[in-house]
Amino acid sequence: MLNPSSESPSKSRKVLIETWGCQMNVADSENMLSMLQEENYTLTDKEDDADLVLLNTCHIREKAKHKVLSRLGKLKELKTQKPSLKIAVSGCVAQAEGKKLLKAAPQIDVLFGPGKILELPQLLKEREKSRLPAISVGFKRETKGYPEPDVTNFSKPNVSGKTEISRYVNITQGCDNFCTFCVVPFTRGREISRQPEAIINECRSLLNDGAREITLLGQNVNSYGNDLLTDSSQSQPNRSPFVNLLEQVAAIPTLERLRFTTSNPHDFTFSLAELFARTPKLGNYLHLPVQSGDDDVLERMKRKVTVAEYLERVHWLRANNPDFALSTDLIVGFPGETEQQFENTLNLVEQVRYSFVFSFMYSPRKNTAAIRFKEQVPEATKQARLKKLNHLQDNITIALNKEEIGKTREVLFAYPSKKEANCFYGRTNEFRLVKVASEHDLVGQTQPVEIIDANKTALLGRLV
Ligand code: SAH
Ligand code: SF4
Ligand code: F3S
């Protein structure tokens, strides 16, 4: 909240925000910008104009961390030319590396973890008064409840560089699952659900500002609200708080489409699958990360579902709609993964026919259980498996996209093409990207589109 008793308004300054990692980091960057705007900062995309550069970082794989370090190297040079420049590092690398990162990169002025983003304005002020960097990491177990930014202007700025049409809203923070490969429970702390009223208010505000589609975010959205249940609500065990929330958000009339990510298959219930069938705004698409197509590997990953259970969920979603589109995350070269176990992943990919896949080579992460597993897979084997998997998936993506030719799909247009004039991009209900030529602006509209061509990345359509 702007302090009415503050003596003089601070002078206007510019901030450059660079966001890595998942959509939750994007949503965090937007909340941080919202707080910085209260401190008279405006957003810039030019580093030469910036008084503050904020790197919101990702620690999920080793490569992600290296990118941050090399960016910090570049910023060090910039700071030599412009000593007043402040460098702030937030996000999962800041949390995981903490003081170690300050040692490696003393050019950092402010460093704080995802559990501390509300402290950003305070940390910047501390830094101004002190010769030492300001640092705040960790999670206070005693602080109950989801941390809401305390800002006067509720409307959340957009840092994506895209249009206002599709926006993200956080519904949980942290994760309690401790999959054995994953650093997130260590960088984002325990799972805390946000109050439904706060979520709905934020959705309404974004919709008032022009959003048409909202994606609700969490590392495991399906377990949303289990920590909010009171004794009386627990007496109705069939009412899932997440299903309740989706129903409430979907009921907002100005909302056109509602999506959510990420769904851990373990907590994906039949009632959630049913909700898709009776809620057209949810569309015909879900990202359902499986990680591996082999039961032994899944057990060692501690994913808590078998391949058969995963396929059961796929069946729930596709029973009434064979066109229902799915995407997934896959890790190749998890410790101990044999050639046969990898082949099982390929088999699953062929069986499910995902519209696209995010595939990764296993990357050992500090603090996680799997870093200590024996039989780490050699880099060359991981690379070969990744290549084989990507080749298979590319063919499936192309085949599925080609099957769209001749069909008419409802497309929500989200942004104009940067390269071609009078060209617009949108997505079908199945989340496929479509390019359409039009003399008038289509951004924000939902229109029936006939698909006339397709390649790996997008469909080409014409307005019906
Ligand atoms: N909460 C999500 C995953 C978030 S992390 C879920 O449970 O599905 C996004 C993806 O990064 C994961 O699904 C996984 O495929 C990948 N990933 C996470 N840790 C990894 C690691 N150590 N090495 C390689 N890929 C990893
Ligand atoms: Fe990581 Fe597993 Fe939590 Fe996803 S569910 S964030 S993979 S620990
Ligand atoms: Fe990366 Fe942290 Fe998200 S590690 S994927 S930014 S939760």
Side-chain angles (χ1 to χ4, degrees):
M1 182 93 71
L2 258 185
N3 181 357
S5 66
S6 60
E7 303 95 44
S8 61
S10 46
K11 68 174 185 345
S12 101
R13 288 166 290 190
K14 290 209 160 73
V15 57
L16 171 71
I17 303 183
E18 294 177 18
T19 311
W20 283 278
C22 60
Q23 296 105 320
M24 301 198 74
N25 257 12
V26 176
D28 284 350
S29 287
E30 293 178 337
N31 282 331
M32 289 193 276
L33 178 59
S34 160
M35 288 185 281
L36 288 172
Q37 283 175 340
E38 302 266 304
E39 304 289 319
N40 255 330
Y41 278 92
T42 53
L43 190 66
T44 177
D45 55 4
K46 294 182 195 68
E47 63 178 27
D48 291 337
D49 290 348
D51 302 289
L52 169 67
V53 176
L54 170 59
L55 305 182
N56 194 9
T57 63
C58 172
H59 202 246
I60 200 82
R61 287 167 290 274
E62 195 64 19
K63 239 190 193 162
K65 190 183 112 185
H66 285 155
K67 278 191 201 159
V68 176
L69 291 173
S70 91
R71 185 68 184 116
L72 278 168
K74 289 258 162 59
L75 288 174
K76 191 176 174 182
E77 290 166 26
L78 190 67
K79 202 167 173 167
T80 325
Q81 295 153 24
K82 187 180 174 184
S84 66
L85 176 72
K86 294 277 174 290
I87 300 172
V89 180
S90 62
C92 293
V93 177
Q95 174 58 41
E97 300 285 313
K99 285 198 175 125
K100 245 171 70 191
L101 187 64
L102 278 184
K103 256 199 185 143
Q107 65 273 32
I108 297 172
D109 295 285
V110 173
L111 179 122
F112 56 106
K116 303 285 185 170
I117 63 173
L118 299 187
E119 293 176 19
L120 170 60
Q122 191 51 39
L123 291 167
L124 286 167
K125 281 174 198 146
E126 266 174 42
R127 178 64 180 108
E128 266 166 32
K129 289 189 201 132
S130 161
R131 292 184 58 230
L132 297 171
I135 170 166
S136 184
V137 289
F139 304 90
K140 278 198 194 124
R141 294 217 78 164
E142 64 275 18
T143 349
K144 283 257 161 65
Y146 185 94
E148 291 293 342
D150 189 9
V151 291
T152 41
N153 173 13
F154 196 77
S155 93
K156 194 167 74 163
N158 181 355
V159 298
S160 70
K162 297 192 187 129
T163 60
E164 302 293 327
I165 303 304
S166 185
R167 299 293 302 272
Y168 297 136
V169 173
N170 275 345
I171 65 165
T172 63
Q173 177 188 271
C175 182
D176 290 345
N177 278 327
F178 292 91
C179 302
T180 57
F181 52 81
C182 183
V183 83
V184 172
F186 304 96
T187 62
R188 297 232 169 214
R190 294 296 69 71
E191 188 173 302
I192 305 174
S193 301
R194 198 175 174 191
Q195 291 293 337
E197 297 76 29
I199 296 168
I200 288 160
N201 280 344
E202 186 172 325
C203 292
R204 284 189 198 282
S205 150
L206 293 173
L207 291 163
N208 283 342
D209 290 346
R212 287 286 150 273
E213 171 180 79
I214 289 197
T215 306
L216 302 178
L217 298 178
Q219 291 300 346
N220 180 18
V221 283
N222 307 333
S223 65
Y224 167 81
N226 294 342
D227 54 332
L228 299 177
L229 287 174
T230 58
D231 287 344
S232 62
S233 54
Q234 259 160 351
S235 62
Q236 303 171 283
N238 294 332
R239 289 309 290 171
S240 138
F242 185 49
V243 171
N244 281 347
L245 177 75
L246 287 170
E247 283 178 335
Q248 278 176 280
V249 178
I252 306 176
T254 47
L255 178 72
E256 193 107 8
R257 283 187 188 167
L258 176 59
R259 303 194 188 273
F260 56 86
T261 201
T262 309
S263 274
N264 188 312
H266 173 255
D267 300 297
F268 191 87
T269 56
F270 183 67
S271 66
L272 201 47
E274 267 184 335
L275 189 68
F276 272 93
R278 59 186 156 87
T279 317
K281 285 183 187 183
L282 284 175
N284 307 318
Y285 161 75
L286 181 70
H287 183 63
L288 196 60
V290 66
Q291 314 299 353
S292 166
D294 182 85
D295 282 344
D296 278 349
V297 175
L298 285 175
E299 200 179 328
R300 277 181 285 132
M301 288 177 163
K302 227 177 109 203
R303 288 295 284 184
K304 298 183 276 188
V305 284
T306 60
V307 175
E309 284 163 339
Y310 181 86
L311 287 171
E312 186 185 18
R313 282 145 182 80
V314 171
H315 176 72
W316 292 340
L317 289 160
R318 285 186 172 159
N320 297 320
N321 178 5
D323 273 359
F324 193 96
L326 287 158
S327 58
T328 202
D329 293 348
L330 289 165
I331 296 177
V332 300
F334 185 74
E337 185 190 62
T338 63
E339 206 56 42
Q340 181 55 54
Q341 291 172 336
F342 168 65
E343 291 288 329
N344 290 343
T345 295
L346 297 181
N347 290 340
L348 179 71
V349 165
E350 259 174 313
Q351 199 176 340
V352 178
R353 297 188 92 212
Y354 293 104
S355 40
F356 59 94
V357 159
F358 295 105
S359 51
F360 310 102
M361 290 191 282
Y362 168 72
S363 171
R365 307 312 287 134
K366 197 173 79 177
N367 291 324
T368 62
I371 196 170
R372 292 186 304 274
F373 288 3
K374 299 207 177 64
E375 301 174 55
Q376 296 283 331
V377 174
E379 265 331 275
T381 311
K382 287 186 203 170
Q383 276 163 10
R385 288 181 186 170
L386 186 70
K387 202 171 157 198
K388 204 165 169 186
L389 169 62
N390 287 345
H391 180 70
L392 170 66
Q393 180 56 44
D394 283 353
N395 286 334
I396 295 171
T397 301
I398 295 168
L400 287 173
N401 283 355
K402 295 245 184 245
E403 283 173 24
E404 291 293 295
I405 297 174
K407 292 180 183 162
T408 296
R409 299 290 195 192
E410 290 290 311
V411 175
L412 167 59
F413 289 94
Y415 54 94
S417 165
K418 278 188 187 144
K419 291 188 199 141
E420 294 166 76
N422 300 330
C423 249
F424 299 88
Y425 281 98
R427 288 192 184 269
T428 66
N429 268 318
E430 294 72 29
F431 206 59
R432 292 197 169 85
L433 188 67
V434 187
K435 186 171 91 170
V436 169
S438 161
E439 291 300 313
H440 35 258
D441 190 359
L442 295 176
V443 174
Q445 295 183 27
T446 305
Q447 298 268 6
V449 168
E450 187 197 346
I451 308 305
I452 52 177
D453 203 358
N455 60 28
K456 196 177 92 185
T457 42
L459 313 176
L460 185 67
R462 68 170 158 241
L463 293 177
V464 174

